[in-house]
Amino acid sequence: MDLKLKLRLRPSFFISFLIFILFLINPNFGLASNPKCISTEREALLTFKASLTDLTGRFSSWSGPDCCNWTGVLCDARTSRVIKIDLRNPNQLVNSDEYKRGCLRGTIHPSLARLKFLSYLDLSSNDFNGLEIPEFIGHIVSLRYLNLSSSSFSGEIPAVLGNLSKLESLDLYAESFSDSGAFSLRASNLGWLSGLSSSLKYLNMGYVNLSGAGETWLEDFSRVSTLKELRLFNCELKNLPLSLSSPASLKLLEVLDLSENSLNSPIPNWLFGLTSLRKLFLRWDFLEGSIPLGFKNLKLLETLDLSNNLGLQGEIPSVLGDLPQLKFLDLSANELNGQIHGFLDAFSRNKGNSLVYLDLSSNKLAGTLPESLGALRNLQILDLSSNSFTGSVPSSIGNMVSLKKLDLSYNAMDGSIAESLGQLEQLVDLNLMANTWEGVLQKSHFVNLRSLKTIHLTTEPNRSLFFKLPSTWIPPFRLEFIQIENCQIGPSFPMWLQVQTKLNFVTLRNTGIEDTIPDSWYSGISSEVTYLILANNRIKGSLPQKLVFPKLNTIDLSSNNFEGPFPLWSTKATEIRLYENNFSGSLPQNIDVLMPRMEKIYLFHNSFTGQIPSSLCEVSGLQILSLRKNHFSGSFPKCWHRSFMLWGIDVSENNISGEIPESLGVLPSLSVLLLNQNALEGKIPESLQNCSGLTNLDLGGNKLTGNIPPWTRKLASLFMLRLQSNSFTGQIPAELCNVPNLHILDLSGNKISGPIPKCISNLTAIAHGTSSEVFQNLVFIVTRARQYQDIVDSINLSGNNISGEIPGEILGLSYLRILNISRNSMAGSIPEKISELSRLETLDLSRNRFSGAIPQSLAAISSLQRLNLSFNKLEGSIPNLLKFQDPSIYIGNELLCGKPLPKKCPKDIINSRLL
Ligand SMILES: *[C@@H]1O[C@H](CO)[C@@H](O)[C@H](O)[C@H]1NC(C)=O
Ligand SMILES: *[C@@H]1O[C@H](CO)[C@@H](O)[C@H](O)[C@H]1NC(C)=O
Ligand SMILES: *[C@@H]1O[C@H](CO)[C@@H](O)[C@H](O)[C@H]1NC(C)=O
Ligand SMILES: *[C@@H]1O[C@H](CO)[C@@H](O)[C@H](O)[C@H]1NC(C)=O
Ligand SMILES: *[C@@H]1O[C@H](CO)[C@@H](O)[C@H](O)[C@H]1NC(C)=O
Ligand SMILES: *[C@@H]1O[C@H](CO)[C@@H](O)[C@H](O)[C@H]1NC(C)=O
Ligand SMILES: *[C@@H]1O[C@H](CO)[C@@H](O)[C@H](O)[C@H]1NC(C)=O
């Protein structure tokens, strides 16, 4: 070899040597980085690709010659055979737009079956739009991993999958997220599972409809004795066998999920033979009976979820407290009862307990909370809400050093809250609402709550829970969520609240704060706060003007002593409650710009003046406008043209003048219209008959004129019609009888003449006593008061010029409670069968010209509490059985005699002479 040659060889020799060394280090070097794709396999992949639609370019790399470096494809390093195809949707946020666009669609070409060495196939989270799972997948017998989950396959799972004898993991989870339908897989015969019995470790058939799989479903699964994880979530399984022929066959099972099936059975004993179980999920299964002691066999159990069965009863057995590995226990939403002492004592004996999560909420557990709670030093989440626990928060709570969330809400805890609570440095979320706490909360209760973000604390209005914190104390926490109700925080607005400027939810209701709140607090929270509720205090002062609250949804400052002008806050609030304060001045003309999303605005009971701004017409989502008892004047806005949602208007007790605007008739949703106690004049606009959903109409106490409108019969939902104290004339129209839902009719104090129409018995609601709660609630929502409650089922025609007799038909109104026809010109006798109005509470016939005797049957109306027959022409003796002692209800009837009137009746005189 000459030198030249040697020199030429040397570099390549060095490179070869280097490669050799690298081979020693990593035998796959070179081959791994550069496999050569086999052309028949490349062809198969391209054919497969061609039958799929791909909106987001997931196949963009599937073109070059080397299929082994295409995205989602992996080849064997030595043989270059394709061994893995992973086409799982890269976006896992189901239902997001990215997820949907990322879905592959189309069909699955059988060319895949040509990949004879494929061991891993993941087509999950795509959208095959109801395609059946292709049979040929069962021919790719090299598969060890197959994932077809959430890809909108439908139909019967092919039995040929049972030929995949090397399969270790099979995921057929079938929840479908397709836009084009709810596809579901089913399996009506599970015999094929036995073909997988030597290899399968993981099987997920969640959401597969197994209702047709017969009684043997459990035997079929249990034959796969290699299984470590079996998930049958929401499979429409109906019957849970109570025994298993060979429970030994599932000896390796570590995870079992049978949740969301309608098992309707007790917890079966065969479960306790599955001694490898680490996780058991049996939630939403309609399981019943008690929790068996057999759980003590499951020594490896880490997770036990028996929640939401609604029917599990009895006490929580203490054996659960003995399970050494238990980390997660959810028994919520059942009917468990008794105390929890035994069970928690067992945990505390088990010193190394590892419990991290304990949810016993929504059961019927009772008794006090034991001191042994404190032994749960690893517990992070404790939810005991919605039970019947009583007593105090035990002082051992301070030992639960890992606690992040404590929920004792909705119990009957009537004691005090232990000071050691203040030691829980990890506590983020504290919920003590809806109990009947008492006692005093001091600095020590909060002193080390560094992590606290959320506090809910409410008690009954008549209990006393006091905050006694130093007025200048600055706490270690910055809260995001505070809800305190019926506890005494005030009278001052303390420093510990003033420094909370990260709040995004505030409720301080009935907390005795009588102070002013510094403007800086409002501006501090303005950027994040969504709910600002300071109702039922005695907070003074005016609000800072011109703040921007970009996230504010609800403002409730009602029932305080706020004063000053309406706050010019720019918000997206939907609900604004400033009622029962002393705000004054006029409303801003640009209220539609400041609060464009306003749906419900409650300003009643303040001192607002000026006109109701017509820009309210521009707030298209407005539903409720509640302005009662202010000093608004001028005319009511006339511009209603886009308030399609407006259904409740209450501007009563103001000083509104002019006419009722015609344009109210364009409000398609109008249901409650209260314009009473104002200075309105003119006629009721005909257009109101278009508001066919009108339920409550009160126009009383105005200066309205004209006839009672006959078109009220078009208002099929009308529950209340009050036109009292106006100047209406004419007769009562017969059409009024045909308002089927009318429960309250008040025409008193007008100039109405003519008779009471005989058709009055056609007021079906009063005749048959239909339910009126819905209508009453509608008014309540608008007025926040029950001012009409006492006059349901009443007819008041008093103070008119009505003549004629009481029509006998009126006796058909058997649910009538109040009948007032006083101060009219009616004559004739009181109907003999008046007792047919058997629910009557008030009957006022005074100041008419009724004659004849008082019918005896009047005394048979046991509900009658108020009666007035004075100033008529009644005669004869007052029935003995009438219990009323007040003579004034009978006076002014010259020919009437007997108790309680001083005038004795002739027959009494005779009797007394005889005695
Ligand atoms: C495939 O290989 C080519 C050339 O080696 C390289 O440029 C490309 O980035 C690779 N593609 C993928 C998806 O790895
Ligand atoms: C199957 O794919 C889904 C995502 O599409 C994934 O959540 C699931 O864990 C996979 N199953 C297995 C057994 O790996
Ligand atoms: C499984 O494969 C065998 C032989 O390959 C075949 O005879 C049999 O029909 C297959 N089973 C099913 C259910 O397709
Ligand atoms: C499940 O399958 C059964 C018949 O096997 C059918 O009656 C039932 O409607 C199916 N359930 C759903 C939700 O499709
Ligand atoms: C406190 O008020 C609740 C209702 O809010 C009532 O049930 C309870 O009996 C009252 N308790 C006392 C001691 O007055
Ligand atoms: C309400 O405010 C007005 C001034 O705006 C004042 O005259 C009146 O006394 C206040 N009423 C109450 C009850 O404080
Ligand atoms: C009362 O109602 C009945 C049936 O609902 C109807 O036939 C009758 O005409 C009505 N009477 C009057 C006066 O409207």
Side-chain angles (χ1 to χ4, degrees):
M1 209 187 286
D2 73 29
L3 193 67
K4 255 184 172 174
L5 197 61
K6 267 184 195 165
L7 283 172
R8 255 191 286 131
L9 275 175
R10 215 166 256 165
S12 61
F13 167 78
F14 266 95
I15 288 166
S16 308
F17 184 70
L18 198 65
I19 288 171
F20 174 72
I21 296 291
L22 283 169
F23 245 107
L24 289 180
I25 297 167
N26 175 2
N28 283 335
F29 175 80
L31 289 176
S33 61
N34 228 345
K36 263 270 161 259
C37 174
I38 291 174
S39 67
T40 52
E41 296 205 330
R42 183 174 178 278
E43 289 309 311
L45 285 172
L46 285 174
T47 312
F48 165 72
K49 169 191 151 180
S51 66
L52 289 167
T53 326
D54 160 33
L55 298 179
T56 53
R58 291 174 53 190
F59 283 127
S60 58
S61 66
W62 284 40
S63 54
D66 185 4
C67 69
C68 295
N69 92 342
W70 294 354
T71 308
V73 178
L74 185 74
C75 298
D76 182 88
R78 272 184 310 108
T79 63
S80 295
R81 294 291 195 155
V82 173
I83 52 173
K84 172 170 176 177
I85 296 178
D86 178 0
L87 292 174
R88 178 186 298 187
N89 191 333
N91 190 304
Q92 285 288 307
L93 193 62
V94 293
N95 286 329
S96 67
D97 287 347
E98 291 78 9
Y99 175 91
K100 283 179 179 157
R101 275 175 48 78
C103 282
L104 298 175
R105 294 181 169 77
T107 57
I108 301 171
H109 198 276
S111 66
L112 265 194
R114 283 187 242 143
L115 306 171
K116 292 293 178 218
F117 294 84
L118 193 64
S119 77
Y120 187 110
L121 178 59
D122 188 346
L123 298 177
S124 67
S125 301
N126 288 299
D127 183 359
F128 294 105
N129 196 22
L131 187 74
E132 294 201 356
I133 295 177
E135 295 260 342
F136 69 80
I137 289 185
H139 303 150
I140 313 176
V141 291
S142 48
L143 280 178
R144 293 174 191 276
Y145 177 100
L146 177 58
N147 193 342
L148 302 179
S149 73
S150 298
S151 280
S152 299
F153 287 104
S154 74
E156 180 79 21
I157 294 175
V160 65
L161 291 189
N163 266 7
L164 299 175
S165 60
K166 292 183 181 161
L167 209 55
E168 289 167 15
S169 176
L170 176 57
D171 196 341
L172 299 173
Y173 181 79
E175 189 177 13
S176 163
F177 301 104
S178 174
D179 277 341
S180 42
F183 299 106
S184 68
L185 281 172
R186 64 173 184 276
S188 36
N189 185 338
L190 293 166
W192 53 271
L193 283 172
S194 60
L196 309 177
S197 66
S198 58
S199 57
L200 198 65
K201 296 194 177 75
Y202 177 97
L203 177 57
N204 192 342
M205 289 177 59
Y207 276 91
V208 175
N209 185 349
L210 297 181
S211 70
E215 306 270 298
T216 61
W217 64 268
L218 184 63
E219 299 290 335
D220 291 329
F221 284 106
S222 69
R223 234 167 258 135
V224 190
S225 57
T226 45
L227 272 182
K228 286 188 164 176
E229 186 158 346
L230 176 59
R231 297 199 176 255
L232 300 174
F233 175 90
N234 198 340
C235 290
E236 304 204 25
L237 292 167
K238 295 272 167 1
N239 299 298
L240 185 61
L242 291 180
S243 63
L244 192 59
S245 56
S246 61
S249 56
L250 285 174
K251 261 284 190 274
L252 301 179
L253 202 63
E254 293 175 10
V255 179
L256 177 60
D257 187 352
L258 293 175
S259 297
E260 298 208 18
N261 288 291
S262 304
L263 301 180
N264 291 306
S265 77
I267 298 175
N269 278 325
W270 55 261
L271 275 176
F272 308 121
L274 311 182
T275 50
S276 302
L277 271 184
R278 289 190 297 107
K279 298 184 180 181
L280 178 59
F281 302 94
L282 295 170
R283 64 174 182 274
W284 287 110
D285 273 333
F286 299 98
L287 292 171
E288 45 200 40
S290 55
I291 299 178
L293 300 180
F295 275 105
K296 67 172 182 294
N297 296 353
L298 304 181
K299 292 273 188 279
L300 303 179
L301 206 59
E302 294 165 8
T303 295
L304 176 59
D305 187 348
L306 299 176
S307 66
N308 290 290
N309 280 293
L310 313 176
L312 289 175
Q313 292 166 347
E315 293 199 13
I316 302 175
S318 59
V319 295
L320 293 185
D322 290 327
L323 296 173
Q325 308 290 335
L326 200 61
K327 289 191 175 60
F328 177 105
L329 179 60
D330 190 348
L331 305 178
S332 63
N334 279 296
E335 302 247 275
L336 299 169
N337 55 31
Q339 305 216 356
I340 57 172
H341 288 246
F343 152 72
L344 284 176
D345 290 352
F347 268 117
S348 71
R349 279 195 304 275
N350 172 11
K351 285 282 190 280
N353 79 69
S354 46
L355 199 64
V356 169
Y357 183 106
L358 178 61
D359 187 351
L360 305 179
S361 65
S362 300
N363 276 289
K364 294 180 170 170
L365 300 166
T368 55
L369 304 185
E371 288 289 342
S372 51
L373 255 186
L376 304 178
R377 297 180 63 88
N378 294 309
L379 199 65
Q380 295 179 8
I381 310 287
L382 175 60
D383 190 347
L384 303 178
S385 63
S386 299
N387 279 289
S388 302
F389 291 115
T390 53
S392 300
V393 174
S395 60
S396 65
I397 194 100
N399 299 335
M400 304 178 73
V401 291
S402 309
L403 212 54
K404 293 192 165 125
K405 174 180 166 168
L406 174 62
D407 191 346
L408 304 178
S409 63
Y410 296 96
N411 275 291
M413 307 279 302
D414 50 1
S416 59
I417 297 167
E419 280 178 53
S420 60
L421 182 77
Q423 297 307 318
L424 302 179
E425 295 191 12
Q426 309 286 326
L427 194 66
V428 176
D429 187 347
L430 175 63
N431 191 344
L432 303 177
M433 73 182 285
N435 281 289
T436 53
W437 302 112
E438 60 173 22
V440 173
L441 293 173
Q442 312 181 39
K443 188 173 144 185
S444 43
H445 283 90
F446 301 101
V447 67
N448 283 323
L449 300 180
R450 292 176 217 297
S451 313
L452 198 65
K453 293 268 178 278
T454 295
I455 179 167
H456 298 264
L457 176 57
T458 71
T459 182
E460 296 283 346
N462 52 10
R463 298 293 286 187
S464 50
L465 184 62
F466 291 90
F467 282 71
K468 287 228 170 93
L469 299 170
S471 62
T472 53
W473 180 59
I474 307 224
F477 48 76
R478 290 296 175 270
L479 298 171
E480 290 170 4
F481 198 115
I482 186 168
Q483 178 183 19
I484 298 181
E485 299 186 30
N486 305 325
C487 306
Q488 187 72 22
I489 293 180
S492 69
F493 187 70
M495 188 55 74
W496 72 268
L497 280 175
Q498 291 191 32
V499 299
Q500 303 303 332
T501 52
K502 293 204 152 56
L503 291 166
N504 56 45
F505 187 109
V506 183
T507 296
L508 295 170
R509 192 193 299 274
N510 190 20
T511 59
I513 296 173
E514 299 181 8
D515 209 355
T516 54
I517 295 181
D519 286 4
S520 57
W521 185 72
Y522 294 104
S523 48
I525 63 171
S526 61
S527 61
E528 293 301 319
V529 75
T530 55
Y531 287 79
L532 177 58
I533 299 172
L534 302 173
N536 297 83
N537 291 289
R538 286 185 294 277
I539 302 172
K540 295 184 296 208
S542 47
L543 295 170
Q545 297 289 302
K546 303 203 174 182
L547 285 179
V548 179
F549 288 82
K551 297 184 181 167
L552 196 56
N553 177 286
T554 297
I555 315 171
D556 186 351
L557 308 180
S558 63
S559 304
N560 278 291
N561 292 334
F562 284 109
E563 57 188 17
F566 184 88
L568 301 178
W569 291 357
S570 170
T571 81
K572 296 197 174 115
T574 55
E575 189 148 347
I576 296 142
R577 299 179 176 215
L578 303 182
Y579 62 84
E580 292 175 350
N581 279 290
N582 193 20
F583 287 107
S584 55
S586 52
L587 298 184
Q589 280 308 321
N590 62 343
I591 194 165
D592 59 323
V593 178
L594 289 172
M595 303 184 174
R597 302 270 175 86
M598 144 170 66
E599 292 171 4
K600 298 173 185 162
I601 180 161
Y602 295 92
L603 305 180
F604 63 83
H605 220 311
N606 276 290
S607 300
F608 287 114
T609 52
Q611 278 207 298
I612 298 171
S614 53
S615 58
L616 280 169
C617 298
E618 306 304 319
V619 181
S620 58
L622 193 63
Q623 295 176 21
I624 292 176
L625 180 61
S626 188
L627 308 178
R628 182 177 80 250
K629 217 165 182 192
N630 278 287
H631 310 296
F632 288 111
S633 56
S635 55
F636 193 72
K638 298 184 169 57
C639 44
W640 304 105
H641 57 112
R642 45 182 300 185
S643 305
F644 301 111
M645 315 289 278
L646 187 58
W647 66 266
I649 297 177
D650 179 9
V651 295
S652 58
E653 301 183 60
N654 279 288
N655 199 16
I656 310 286
S657 54
E659 299 201 346
I660 299 174
E662 192 80 29
S663 66
L664 283 175
V666 306
L667 295 175
S669 311
L670 194 60
S671 169
V672 176
L673 179 60
L674 311 177
L675 302 176
N676 51 298
Q677 269 62 47
N678 278 293
L680 293 164
E681 54 195 25
K683 296 184 174 167
I684 301 178
E686 298 257 323
S687 65
L688 273 190
Q689 64 187 298
N690 302 330
C691 301
S692 55
L694 213 51
T695 60
N696 289 275
L697 182 60
D698 192 341
L699 304 178
N702 282 291
K703 296 184 265 181
L704 299 169
T705 52
N707 290 334
I708 309 288
W711 41 257
T712 46
R713 78 186 144 75
K714 293 198 182 164
L715 306 178
S717 307
L718 200 61
F719 159 80
M720 173 175 88
L721 177 62
R722 290 183 24 109
L723 304 176
Q724 75 283 0
S725 306
N726 279 288
S727 299
F728 290 109
T729 49
Q731 301 203 356
I732 300 175
E735 286 85 349
L736 197 56
C737 304
N738 291 336
V739 183
N741 271 306
L742 202 63
H743 281 268
I744 299 176
L745 175 63
D746 191 346
L747 305 178
S748 64
N750 281 289
K751 297 172 184 158
I752 296 165
S753 54
I756 297 178
K758 286 186 189 306
C759 66
I760 190 104
S761 57
N762 269 20
L763 289 176
T764 349
I766 307 183
H768 302 305
T770 58
S771 160
S772 63
E773 226 160 275
V774 176
F775 305 106
Q776 292 193 56
N777 283 339
L778 289 173
V779 189
F780 179 78
I781 294 170
V782 176
T783 66
R784 315 301 308 165
R786 302 236 175 241
Q787 74 267 50
Y788 298 114
Q789 186 171 334
D790 292 340
I791 56 167
V792 175
D793 295 318
S794 70
I795 295 178
N796 190 346
L797 306 175
S798 88
N800 281 290
N801 196 19
I802 294 169
S803 54
E805 299 194 359
I806 297 179
E809 286 78 1
I810 208 166
L811 300 178
L813 299 179
S814 56
Y815 283 78
L816 193 63
R817 289 169 54 218
I818 301 173
L819 178 61
N820 188 347
I821 42 185
S822 64
R823 290 181 288 123
N824 277 293
S825 311
M826 298 192 69
S829 55
I830 303 174
E832 193 57 46
K833 293 181 178 168
I834 187 84
S835 64
E836 288 181 13
L837 297 177
S838 62
R839 293 175 178 84
L840 214 52
E841 292 165 16
T842 298
L843 176 63
D844 192 344
L845 306 179
S846 63
R847 294 185 191 268
N848 279 285
R849 280 179 250 136
F850 291 115
S851 56
I854 300 176
Q856 293 285 339
S857 82
L858 197 54
I861 308 178
S862 57
S863 51
L864 197 63
Q865 290 162 13
R866 280 172 298 274
L867 175 69
N868 196 347
L869 304 176
S870 61
F871 299 101
N872 277 292
K873 295 181 173 173
L874 297 166
E875 58 192 61
S877 59
I878 296 170
N880 277 334
L881 294 171
L882 269 178
K883 53 194 173 186
F884 300 94
Q885 299 302 318
D886 176 3
S888 72
I889 67 173
Y890 300 114
I891 58 169
N893 291 283
E894 276 170 32
L895 300 176
L896 212 51
C897 62
K899 280 184 183 168
L901 288 175
K903 182 177 172 189
K904 292 195 166 157
C905 294
K907 71 170 190 290
D908 293 340
I909 297 169
I910 293 165
N911 285 347
S912 63
R913 281 204 191 129
L914 281 176
L915 282 173

